Amino acid sequence: MLMNKMIFARFSGIVTVLYFLFFFFAILLVVNPAQSYFIQQPLFLFDKAFLWGYLEYPGGLIQYVSLFLSQFYVYPLLGALIITCIAASVFFFTDRIMRTFDFNRFGLLLKLAPVTALFFLHSFSDGILTTSLILLLTLKLFFYYLQTFERTTGVRLTVFLFFSLLLFYVAGGCGLLLFQVLCLFAELVKWDKKKSLPVLFLILLSALFPYLAARFLFFITPEQSYFHLLVPETYYAPRMILYVLYIYYPLLVLFCNLVPKQKKGQNVNERRALFSSVLQIAMIGILTCLALFFWSRSESVFTDKIKYLAHEREWKKILDLTDKHYSEDRLVNFNINRALYFTNRLPDDLFKRPNFWGQQALFLGSYTLGSIAIDNSELFFDLGHIRAARQWAYEAQTIFENSPRVLKMLALTNIIEGDYKAASTMLEKLDKSIVHKKWAQYYLNGIQDTTVFHSDSLIQEKRRMMPSDVHFMNGKKVEVDLFSLLKKNPQNKMAFEFLMAYLMLSDQIEKLDIADQISYLKQLGYKEIPEPYQEAILVYISKKRLEVFDLGGYQFSPGVENGFNDYLTILQRYEMDRNAAQAELYQKFGSSYWYYQQYISPYINNVEFQKKIIEQMISGLMSDTLPIKGLC
């Protein structure tokens, strides 16, 4: 019998080790902590002022620790190890708690279930480490509290009071509430009138701690004091799995004490024990598969992936992914347009994908949330409009004060503009970060010795591209900025292609001086006019009723000319009824500028367009990168 128990114990141990190996490699290879780092943008500074900022409110200390650990997500191997170690620690204290209650039934399932929940939580790039650390600290203190049940009432009261105050200050009201519920359930299932009544009274009394702290000690609201991280806040919404995880442990305490336990010395049916073990493993496998299934089908997982790939400039991967998965997300479509340019496909493939956002997914200057201002900044940086890039980066900083991504953009744009004092402010902050110190040191050295920048190809290139005119982008007149960029540097291919795309997507081709645009085509070395441009020129000629038009040595493709005539013929056959002709036109011309202009352009159905904008702005407030101080 002893041998059989040892065999089952080893079997459970092997299964547990294998599960944690799977956990580690899934986080490393599938989830990728580096992507989580990019989405969350944690910045930890070795600075007294930075530390004191997190000591000013309850829960700040655990967020400080979370920031320290989260910064290492930038190294995927280290990030996966950190998350796995936290999950393993949760497993360990779950085991200790169950042993304290002398409960060993369904042990494998009950101990690995919360680990699976943690895996699901951190499989999302916005899965902040703070909530997992709060859970771990709460379980640890609850385990130590359980050890006082054999001690006097005074000891239990003292330990509970000390742990409650410690947990509230370190982890905030979120951890305190969980600890109070756990202790309450433990007292109820281990009822001892003499000992439990005073403790129950103290538990109820301690529920006032967050209110009193908010009222007299800290500059926070009672709601923040009680429920920070448990309720939606600006740019943060807890996932349902977090509630499941926090509710799980009070239920586990009840389960361990209400379900009949196996008596010591009782004979164990080997077949039943084997079946139970296999069943538990199967259930863990099912839970894990469900977690992966829901994760893979989450739209936020896809959009975060696209954001990360854009940051890494993996343009081909973006196009490959979006070929297989259509998304209506504005930022996804924005990055698709960037990817089309950087893979030399923007002029030819602009209308081969649904472009219902129109020019609003080409530039983010109108209807822009602060949370995506940095994306707009990076676009203008690529275009060479450094002043606009800097302005959008400052806009982003109003929300993401310590985002490394924002600080780096501000440092670079100020250096390019020659404002070294402003750049130094950003660089000195990054210099206090372990993971950004090397990057900051290079530019700080360059500010001390500006000859370093003379050989910096990026800085010199952007200075050459900067428009001479002193102005900032007007979201309603982006073409002014693009023309200014082309005037300064006619070889700015990106400015030209984005100008053409902007004018077509915003139905402003009549503003074009076509002859000038053709001259840019020649300067940029185009061997022929891209077909979408030809389609736009034909519409321009038709609207202006021009009989002669000089293509400057270029020619219309026969297929485009014939296609335009066919398009008009189909419309005439349906007596110019757009709705009746749509199916046939889509089949033959669905990827043309003509079809976009008549059926897809947001200006055709402005009400629906405005509705989509409002919907995404509202959802963006709850799902974009987290700006709350230290929320990592």
Side-chain angles (χ1 to χ4, degrees), residues 253-296:
V253 171
L254 292 178
F255 188 81
C256 290
N257 289 275
L258 298 180
V259 173
K261 302 175 184 178
Q262 182 179 315
K263 297 179 181 179
K264 293 183 179 181
Q266 181 180 352
N267 291 332
V268 178
N269 186 303
E270 293 181 10
R271 289 185 179 180
R272 183 176 295 176
L274 179 61
F275 176 77
S276 175
S277 298
V278 172
L279 182 61
Q280 290 177 65
I281 294 170
M283 292 182 71
I284 288 296
I286 291 171
L287 288 174
T288 304
C289 289
L290 285 173
L292 288 170
F293 174 76
F294 286 113
W295 172 81
S296 65

Side-chain angles (χ1 to χ4, degrees), residues 155-172:
V155 171
R156 276 164 70 179
L157 290 171
T158 303
V159 169
F160 175 82
L161 182 61
F162 175 72
F163 282 177
S164 295
L165 293 172
L166 176 67
L167 198 55
F168 175 64
Y169 179 67
V170 173

Side-chain angles (χ1 to χ4, degrees), residues 390 394 397 407-416 418-432 439-450 453:
R390 181 174 64 172
Y394 276 122
Q397 197 188 28
L407 293 174
K408 285 183 176 182
M409 179 58 72
L410 286 172
L412 272 175
T413 51
N414 278 301
I415 287 172
I416 294 167
D419 191 345
Y420 295 140
K421 183 177 180 180
S424 295
T425 303
M426 311 302 163
L427 293 169
E428 286 169 2
K429 183 175 287 190
L430 291 168
D431 188 45
K432 297 173 183 177
W439 189 92
Q441 279 292 328
Y442 169 77
Y443 289 102
L444 283 170
N445 291 337
I447 290 173
Q448 295 298 319
D449 178 11
T450 55
F453 296 148

Side-chain angles (χ1 to χ4, degrees), residues 112-250:
L112 285 178
V115 175
T116 306
L118 284 172
F119 170 75
F120 187 60
L121 182 65
H122 288 286
S123 64
F124 295 94
S125 297
D126 60 358
I128 58 177
L129 201 59
T130 305
T131 51
S132 298
L133 290 174
I134 290 172
L135 176 66
L136 176 58
L137 179 60
T138 304
L139 292 179
K140 183 176 182 179
L141 295 183
F142 177 60
F143 167 69
Y144 291 143
Y145 173 74
L146 291 177
Q147 310 312 305
T148 67
F149 272 64
E150 302 300 324
R151 310 293 291 274
T152 64
T153 303
V155 171
R156 276 164 70 179
L157 290 171
T158 303
V159 169
F160 175 82
L161 182 61
F162 175 72
F163 282 177
S164 295
L165 293 172
L166 176 67
L167 198 55
F168 175 64
Y169 179 67
V170 173
C174 178
L176 176 61
L177 287 175
L178 178 58
F179 180 70
Q180 289 170 332
V181 174
L182 288 172
C183 291
L184 176 64
F185 281 25
E187 292 293 341
L188 291 175
V189 297
K190 287 183 170 291
W191 182 258
D192 181 334
K193 187 174 182 179
K194 289 184 178 180
K195 294 183 178 180
S196 296
L197 275 177
V199 177
L200 288 176
F201 176 75
L202 186 57
I203 290 174
L204 295 175
L205 189 63
S206 67
L208 293 174
F209 289 173
Y211 174 79
L212 295 174
R215 183 72 175 82
F216 299 108
L217 295 177
F218 303 103
F219 292 101
I220 55 176
T221 66
E223 183 182 6
Q224 290 173 323
S225 190
Y226 278 102
F227 304 116
H228 179 52
L229 300 182
L230 288 178
V231 295
E233 300 173 13
T234 307
Y235 298 103
Y236 168 75
R239 295 188 179 274
M240 184 59 65
I241 191 64
L242 181 65
Y243 299 125
V244 172
L245 192 57
Y246 278 29
I247 292 171
Y248 175 83
Y249 282 95

